[in-house]
Amino acid sequence: MSRISEAISDLHKMDMEAEKNGWLQGIHPLPKLLVTILFILLTVSFGKYDLSGLLKMGVYLIITYVLGDISIKQLLKRMKLVLAFVCLVGIWNPFFDREILFSLGNLSVTGGMISMVTLMVKGVYAVSASYLLMVTTSMEDLCYALRKIGVPKTFVTILMLVYRYIIVLLKEIERMMDGYMLRAPKQKGLHYKVWGTMIGQLLLRSMDRAQTVYDSMMLRGYNGEFHLRCKRAARRLDYLYTVGWSAALLIVRIW
């Protein structure tokens, strides 16, 4: 299976996971979005040397991943590039902040080392929380929650259309790659001389497909906004989820 096929398969699997009848999947999307935003804001609010306090915030991820039956292995597989980039953000800190904070035997631990690890943990926490939201909430429900908190409808519409048609774009790329490989069977990968041609062809095909999709939407009465509705009504459990996790995260942050 090619990398493009694997990406398409992963997107389908994430949609299927979001539609499962799990406990966390059954929570209303708005509480999950609010708790995720609060978790990320509190996480990034920690000081660059406050690693011990930051690690305690991981309790939220551990509990929710267990309750939602979310695979850590799949997280690492699907988000490995993002996680790798996040971990490289603070890699230069030890070279600039050389003040020694404490020693572990013969090892002198500097402020740069602590701040580097802290930045990495913050990034991993943010990515993990976002992934948790995506695999337990369908895109339609997530867009509904975004509109409820006041996100502009243009941004929400773009987000939903990009997610809905990203698979179409990937399949178009796969067809182009298959056609190229049939004409160059002995070549490994895409030759750099045809990069511009392939990108140009993809742009033209994308524009044609976008125009077709827009015409179809207009024929169906599209007036600039999707009328999103949540598939489930808010329950007492949803309010308890929001209040409980918000209180717990604030206590951990303050403590």
Side-chain angles (χ1 to χ4, degrees):
M1 182 182 293
S2 66
R3 292 183 179 180
I4 298 177
S5 299
E6 289 181 0
I8 295 173
S9 177
D10 282 341
L11 287 173
H12 284 308
K13 288 179 181 178
M14 289 178 66
D15 287 336
M16 293 174 62
E17 289 175 10
E19 297 294 339
K20 288 196 307 185
N21 292 324
W23 181 86
L24 194 56
Q25 285 83 351
I27 298 293
H28 195 273
L30 185 56
K32 285 188 287 188
L33 177 63
L34 293 175
V35 171
T36 301
I37 293 174
L38 178 63
F39 173 79
I40 294 176
L41 290 177
L42 292 178
T43 297
V44 300
S45 70
F46 279 87
K48 61 180 180 179
Y49 300 137
D50 194 1
L51 180 59
S52 60
L54 180 61
L55 292 175
K56 297 172 186 175
M57 297 291 289
V59 174
Y60 164 76
L61 295 174
I62 294 172
I63 294 176
T64 48
Y65 267 72
V66 172
L67 291 177
D69 193 23
I70 308 300
S71 173
I72 302 296
K73 182 179 179 181
Q74 290 298 323
L75 163 66
L76 298 175
K77 177 184 176 182
R78 293 170 180 169
M79 310 295 286
K80 57 185 177 182
L81 293 178
V82 180
L83 290 172
F85 176 76
V86 163
C87 290
L88 291 174
V89 171
I91 199 170
W92 298 108
N93 286 27
F95 297 99
F96 295 103
D97 188 355
R98 299 185 179 182
E99 181 183 356
I100 298 176
L101 299 181
F102 58 90
S103 298
L104 294 175
N106 295 326
L107 175 64
S108 298
V109 179
T110 65
M113 295 178 183
I114 299 296
S115 62
M116 177 186 69
V117 176
T118 301
L119 279 175
M120 290 180 178
V121 173
K122 287 181 179 181
V124 171
Y125 278 6
V127 172
S128 301
S130 302
Y131 175 79
L132 175 68
L133 180 64
M134 288 189 295
V135 296
T136 59
T137 313
S138 66
M139 182 52 64
E140 287 77 11
D141 287 346
L142 182 57
C143 290
Y144 166 83
L146 289 172
R147 288 293 292 130
K148 282 295 183 181
I149 63 174
V151 176
K153 66 178 182 180
T154 303
F155 176 81
V156 174
T157 300
I158 292 173
L159 177 63
M160 189 164 64
L161 289 175
V162 167
Y163 185 83
R164 184 173 292 178
Y165 290 101
I166 188 67
I167 294 177
V168 177
L169 180 62
L170 290 174
K171 288 182 178 179
E172 195 69 47
I173 296 173
E174 189 175 33
R175 283 194 290 269
M176 292 173 61
M177 290 298 298
D178 289 342
Y180 176 81
M181 296 309 296
L182 287 172
R183 290 168 175 80
K186 296 182 180 180
Q187 185 172 309
K188 295 182 179 179
L190 191 66
H191 198 275
Y192 72 91
K193 290 184 178 180
V194 299
W195 288 0
T197 303
M198 295 291 282
I199 293 174
Q201 284 292 323
L202 180 61
L203 176 62
L204 293 176
R205 295 188 184 196
S206 301
M207 292 171 63
D208 289 339
R209 182 61 63 90
Q211 187 63 48
T212 303
V213 170
Y214 179 72
D215 292 341
S216 301
M217 291 168 61
M218 294 300 293
L219 288 172
R220 289 168 173 79
Y222 176 70
N223 60 357
E225 183 176 4
F226 287 101
H227 299 285
L228 300 167
R229 292 182 177 87
C230 186
K231 300 175 183 178
R232 57 186 69 86
R235 304 164 297 171
R236 183 179 300 177
L237 179 62
D238 301 317
Y239 295 109
L240 291 175
Y241 179 88
T242 308
V243 174
W245 271 123
S246 299
L249 292 173
L250 287 170
I251 289 172
V252 172
R253 177 64 184 93
I254 295 171
W255 179 45

